[in-house]
Amino acid sequence: MSCFSRRWGSLALLFLATVAGADAPLPAITNPEAIAPWLRAAATGRADVVCLGDSNQLQQNSGWDHGWIKALDERFGLYATGLLSPGENAGNGAGSGYEYSVASTISSGQFFYSGAPLELDRYLEPGIGMAPLNYLYVPPEQVAGAGISHGLFIERFSGIDVNAPLRFHVTFGTFDSGPPGGGGSFQLSVRQAAAPFQTLATGAAHSTAGGGLGVASIGLDLPAATRETLLNLRFSPFDQSITGPFIAYYVRAENRARPVGVSLHTLYALGGRSARHMAEALLAADMSYLTLFFQKVRELQGPSPRILVRINSGLNDRNEVRPSILSGILPGDSAEAFLDNLHAIVFRIKVVWLINDWPEDELFFLFTVSHPVGNPDDAQLESYREVAAAFASESPRCAAINLGALTAWGEMVDNGWYQFGGFDTNHLTVPGYEVLSAREVAALEDGACWRDLNADRTLDSEDLYEWHRLRPDLDGDGKSNFLDLRCLEKAARTGESGDVSSENVVPRMLP
């Protein structure tokens, strides 16, 4: 049964848990084995994470976006940047990315962030509450881009590796060939964004006239070289202009030498908004918008993509007065309403998969209710964690993290993890996001029996064969060596999950 079709069963579980009393505290992670296939993909191939959250998702150039990318980089490595929209946050920038970002372009006055033809507008609609994604637009017969910063920046020490063979991916719109919307032109270029500002690669001039209004993609390769410098992918060389009409939806950089790793994307990050607003925005988004986004998330993984959708909410749900989005539950701040809104988010994303005929087993969900904010913690947040855990406990490919079990108010105060010296407990400092993100990723690994490398629910010699074939890093030390074999052997001897039989384990997997 699907993740979203049993919400009333979740409420029943919540009721039973309440009757049972407080002698069984909520664990740090619920249903961790559901995420095991995603973890295997991250350790042995490529996997992606898509995040939705409130202001904590993107908080002053940090947030969960920053913390999770850093944690994933340290554990699995990054095979690509996330999808970034070049007009992010209506040109103001929002801080998406960790050691990579898009330029803020609003001050130049040369670009637009709305006003594209409706047939192109729908692929990244402005004004529907799906911040921070926003296209970059140059109207017909106008020019932009020369002599100003725009496009994607990758920091010198980014986990993507500026010295690697890189491929820059750009998703843009095509226009009618004839007037009045005749195609414009642009030319991808990569330059050093620090002295001596050398141009490293330039593509051919490309027309946006495609014979009709639609979406296309283009790439630019940068060979491996010792660069050790800040890189900037642009839509035009520094001394040239983009000619309108031009619209850019997404930019992304891929490390072509890295077949294993993770990439993270922020789909929704908006301050002061609840899970209800997330669901409302997703339902309002044109299916072309969501399809294009997830299509681009999937396309660099290969034949069997694995996507983990992390949903973080709770703080603003305590102030929600509107009825829940699916069933109209009141009061809007109740645990029942929060659960209903959570179901709506999952439902909408699963519909994207259904409409596009993508395999449902590609898609995983992680529910992470907001961090602790007091001592004792907020009772509403605790009730939201309970229903999220109940939802995950009965749902395939769904897990829930209890941040209240990964830290506590006292630890956060002692370590200075709340903003403004503890005055703002709703938001965290950079170390707070980094430490808790790392703990989330570790909790997923500790709880899931993901070292069953061939996914046959048995840890045996076949998994040893898969290790020799894939050479994954199983113990998280950044290397693939005999220590990973010991990790696999230990898992086989002890059995990591009641669902995994160790009866057929080969006793001498190691010499």
Side-chain angles (χ1 to χ4, degrees), residues 14 19 22-23 110 126 135 183 204 223 262 270 283 290 381 410 412 418 422 435 437 470 490 508:
L14 172 61
V19 171
D23 55 341
Q110 296 187 22
Y135 58 67
V262 181
L270 199 56
L283 290 167
L290 299 175
L381 289 182
M412 297 183 77
Y418 292 122
V435 171
S437 294
L470 299 170
K490 179 181 178 182
R508 293 180 298 278

Side-chain angles (χ1 to χ4, degrees), residues 166-190:
L166 301 177
R167 176 166 293 161
F168 296 93
H169 300 266
V170 173
T171 305
F172 64 99
T174 60
F175 295 79
D176 293 324
S177 298
S185 65
F186 66 100
Q187 188 174 17
L188 296 184
S189 177
V190 180

